[in-house]
């Protein structure tokens, strides 16, 4: 996989609502009704992550789920990261 350059990164982020660039990753925090809803949201992440063979880092804090996506094997961001972010946003 090829790392995305800075100009392509900015272009791709413009098409994703709420995602931000942090270091070598893109990050978004999703707000849910409560802890149960947060866990249910995380469960929904399983299908797109497995289908794409690309797995995010996930942090749950009561009614919030923070999803961090990066291609660790490449040391940064690739098209696969943005594909997964788009799929997550469609949930």
């Amino acid at each position: 996989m090829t790392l995305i350059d800075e100009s392509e990164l900015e272009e791709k982020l413009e098409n994703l609502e709420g995602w931000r660039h942090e270091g070598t990753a893109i990050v978004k925090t999703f707000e849910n009704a409560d802890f149960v809803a947060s866990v249910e949201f995380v469960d929904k992440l399983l299908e797109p992550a497995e289908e794409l063979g690309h797995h995010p880092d996930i942090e749950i804090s009561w009614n919030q789920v923070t999803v961090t996506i990066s291609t660790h094997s490449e040391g940064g961001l690739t098209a696969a990261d943005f594909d997964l972010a788009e799929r997550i946003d469609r949930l």
Side-chain angles (χ1 to χ4, degrees):
M1 283 186 228
T2 305
L3 289 175
I4 290 176
D5 65 32
E6 197 66 32
S7 64
E8 190 175 2
L9 168 66
E10 293 303 319
E11 180 182 323
K12 288 186 173 292
L13 276 176
E14 286 177 13
N15 296 319
L16 292 174
E17 187 175 331
W19 289 88
R20 63 191 181 277
H21 179 221
E22 287 187 10
T24 60
I26 54 174
V27 180
K28 183 174 182 177
T29 299
F30 296 85
E31 194 162 317
N32 301 285
D34 54 24
F35 181 74
V36 172
S38 290
V39 172
E40 289 171 345
F41 174 75
V42 169
D43 189 48
K44 292 177 186 175
L45 300 178
L46 179 64
E47 185 177 330
E50 283 296 303
E51 283 179 6
L52 295 174
H54 199 54
H55 304 98
D57 294 327
I58 300 165
E59 179 184 334
I60 300 174
S61 179
W62 191 68
N63 72 331
Q64 295 183 333
V65 176
T66 301
V67 178
T68 303
I69 305 173
S70 181
T71 304
H72 300 291
S73 62
E74 298 299 320
L77 292 163
T78 67
D81 302 310
F82 292 91
D83 291 344
L84 181 56
E86 289 172 3
R87 292 280 302 272
I88 291 170
D89 279 347
R90 289 195 296 257
L91 295 176

